[in-house]
């Protein structure tokens, strides 16, 4: 092969390689550019996160937003909601619900606690401590709702005044006499053994309060009130008696016992006559 032909062949081969390289490079997918909802990150804080439930104590709720490079993001919109006991509810107030971050990437709302609990009300617990848990939830209000996520922070509302222990469930108990009732003979029912709270082997638990009401119901339709009650069953058959007690915290509990009313002793017939002797 001559040198001229060899040179031409080399040039053609190099050109083919160059054309092939351009063709492969043109199929590469260009990188995405421009803003994305996924670049938003934000956090939520409450200062302080434990306040008194007195109708006036406040906490600053701060949202901090950042862009994909970790810089403060201005103009990010958010909505704040309140959740109590797992339900969406306005327990307390927010100074603003829809807010937007400033140049420093921050937006602030003020939460004000609700009015105190009524005197004698049961005090709930917030993470094992006396008080009510209120959760503030922040949701971005951009145009891509389906990809938005939420952040939340929990406030503890501390009760004011004397903290009343949680109400106990009363323990009703009663006896009746005679132990073997008889039809048409009064039966006495005694609820003195009932406790306003838990019962122990030796009696009622200490500091359990007091019973304020005793209500009796009998399966023949009769009713009665009071710690001691009396009732007469008309027929010789099986009945039931139910005692419902209410303690001084308004908590009720009931217990039922069956009882059988017997026929009683068989009567003995006897009579006298006069005058004696009988005169025709």
């Amino acid at each position: 092969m001559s040198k001229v032909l060899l040179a031409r062949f080399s040039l053609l081969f190099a050109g083919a390689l160059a054309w092939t390289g351009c063709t492969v490079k043109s199929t590469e997918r260009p990188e995405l550019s421009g803003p994305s909802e996924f670049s938003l990150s934000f956090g939520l804080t409450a200062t302080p996160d434990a306040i008194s439930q007195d109708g006036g104590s406040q906490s600053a709720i701060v949202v901090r937003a950042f862009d994909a490079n970790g810089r403060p993001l201005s103009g990010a919109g958010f909505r704040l909601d309140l959740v109590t006991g797992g339900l969406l509810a306005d327990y307390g107030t927010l100074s603003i619900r829809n807010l937007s971050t400033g140049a420093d990437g921050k937006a602030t709302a003020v939460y004000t606690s609700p009015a105190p609990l009524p005197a004698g009300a049961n005090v709930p617990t917030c993470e094992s401590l006396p008080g009510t848990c209120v959760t503030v939830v922040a949701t971005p209000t951009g145009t891509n709702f389906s990809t938005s996520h939420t952040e939340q922070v929990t406030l503890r509302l501390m009760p004011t005044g004397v903290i009343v222990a949680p109400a106990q469930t009363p323990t009703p108990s009663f006896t009746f006499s005679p132990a073997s009732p008889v039809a048409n003979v009064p039966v006495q029912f005694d609820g003195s053994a009932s406790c306003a709270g838990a019962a122990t082997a030796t009696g009622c638990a200490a500091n359990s309060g007091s019973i304020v009401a005793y209500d009796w119901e009998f399966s023949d339709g009769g009713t009665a009130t009071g710690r001691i009650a009396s009732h007469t069953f008309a027929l010789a058959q099986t009945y039931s008696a139910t005692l419902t007690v209410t303690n001084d915290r308004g908590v009720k509990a009931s217990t039922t016992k069956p009882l059988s009313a017997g026929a009683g002793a068989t009567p003995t017939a006897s009579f006298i006559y006069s005058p004696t002797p009988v005169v025709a």
Side-chain angles (χ1 to χ4, degrees), residues 186-274:
V187 182
Q188 188 179 62
F189 295 87
D190 188 348
S192 301
S194 301
C195 297
T200 66
T202 57
C204 299
N207 303 320
S208 58
S210 59
I211 296 176
V212 297
Y214 297 82
D215 295 291
W216 302 87
E217 292 184 5
F218 306 101
S219 59
D220 63 352
T223 60
T225 59
R227 181 174 57 84
I228 297 176
S230 179
H231 186 71
T232 300
F233 299 98
L235 302 175
Q237 63 183 41
T238 299
Y239 298 92
S240 64
T242 299
L243 170 63
T244 300
V245 296
T246 306
N247 64 18
D248 54 359
R249 301 291 293 279
V251 183
K252 297 182 178 183
S254 302
T255 186
T256 300
K257 288 184 178 181
L259 68 158
S260 296
T266 302
T268 301
S270 178
F271 66 93
I272 61 173
Y273 61 90
S274 65

